[in-house]
Amino acid sequence: MQPKSVAVVGAAETTRLGKIPDVSVIGLHADAALNAMKDAGLKPSDIDGVATAGISPVELAHYLGITPTYADGTSVGGCSFMLHVRHAAAAINAGLCKTVLITHGESGRSRVGAGGFGRAPSSLMGQFEMPYGVTSPPTMFTIPVLRYMKTHGVTEEDLATVAVIQREWAARNPRASFKDPITVDDVLNSPMIAWPFRMLMCCLVTDGGGALILTSAERAKDFPQKPVYILGTGESVETPMVSQMEDFNSSKAFRVSGKKAFDEAGIQHADVDHLMIYDAFAHLPLYGLEDLGFVKPGEAKDFIRERNTAIGGKLPMNTNGGGLSYMHSGMYGMYALQESVRQMRGTAAAQVEGAKISVSHGVGGMFAASGTVIFTNEK
Amino acid sequence: MARLLPEPTPETRHFWEGCRDGELRLQRCTDCTHSYFPPRAFCPKCGSRDVEIYAASGKATLYSYVINHRPRPDMGTEPHSIAVVELAEGPRMMTNIVGCPQTPEALILDMPVQVRFDKQTDDISLPLFEPAKG
């Protein structure tokens, strides 16, 4: 992709976040989409490209009354929206469409109009993981971590520190689900979920959604909001089974996706002013910082403990409070993207003053997939 | 509540028949010698269809795990391990470590373990692992 050839001109979350028992999954998609269209000053008839995950782009287009010439149903888990941004940028550059709407909506908590989490017993996961008692992400996403902890001398306190610092960011965000300060002891005394993971090391489960609208940089200057340009993108996938990850100390999908995005953007790590790393669990920012190359393998725990990613640190990370404290509907990637866009517009609740480059890095499944989007507010 | 069990497919049937018969069957490529899991009809490293099934030693080491304190209804009520072991032949697989307390003190990374087949039905036995004897 040509850097800065495509821009975000509309961005919004659902009107409410948290517990929304009176809106179904597709209703959350629509609420976010309408809010993003209002933000961009557009009507459904102005949209000619759609992308979504969880529901099909056909459902989305029909529900909103859109007749697209481009539809992307890439569904690789919570980072699907990073991939949608990447694909939309390519599609706009190739002339497949002009204005792409990307939506997310999930009734993670209330389960209104939502499907289940089952796996067919004949699938590879059904045959070679489900029989051993895996339930949902807390017993799968966490499986590599003891190996990582042994390799790098990471402690339970280090994992807890990730959650504590993200809560500090959440305290600055009126829309965050959890805002009260917590200590390392609070995290280590919270109920055991799947050793070594305790409840406060695991993400929230809430309802909500978000939507983005992208168009060419050339057209972007005619929209009401300050354009946020796409500087670089990356994606990759590794395995649907966490037990078959090549290396439990590092995500191959993270490494491939991150490098692709940084190469495309032509930037160095020191150029990054703001970072979002999808944190479904407390270990993900550790893996992310290392696999994206911000620190060397094993250094992330000290980097976080020394408050580099905290308020006032040199690399503000997960400034909305993250999946651990802001919200987590199931496919959190959209909220990471929304926070990056807010930071680039200068409208975030915990605004990083003067931020010019933001990296939004997502994970899908249990280290199954990854997508990275690098934004800038400078043309 | 009956435990969730695998439903073999044509590509994986040899593995589950092996477990039923008390043998841990892996596959390896006859072109590049790569051993792999889960089963498939070709080598995931080089793409060759010239692969063979062989009986693995059943020896492994404990690579990583969690202790699930909220067991699935079909897994009983006590906390239990969900583990990944590294087989002596190279591949890794998910399993449960049995025959020892389900505690961090008893479940030490890199400890040697050996396979034990746990009969569930006439067709399905699950390959579980226990601390190696001796």
Side-chain angles (χ1 to χ4, degrees), chain A residues 332-356:
Chain A
Y332 168 82
M334 176 58 81
Y335 308 95
L337 292 166
Q338 294 286 338
E339 176 67 5
S340 280
V341 170
R342 287 191 294 262
Q343 289 286 351
M344 291 296 92
R345 285 179 171 181
T347 60
Q351 181 63 41
V352 177
E353 290 308 321
K356 295 183 176 68

Side-chain angles (χ1 to χ4, degrees), chain B residues 47-60:
Chain B
S48 170
R49 292 174 191 262
D50 294 326
V51 298
E52 62 183 3
I53 295 163
Y54 71 101
S57 64
K59 295 186 195 315

Side-chain angles (χ1 to χ4, degrees), chain A residues 100-123:
Chain A
V100 178
L101 169 70
I102 303 169
T103 69
H104 159 68
E106 205 165 6
S107 185
R109 181 170 198 85
S110 304
R111 313 299 304 165
V112 186
F117 191 78
R119 291 287 188 279
S122 60
S123 69

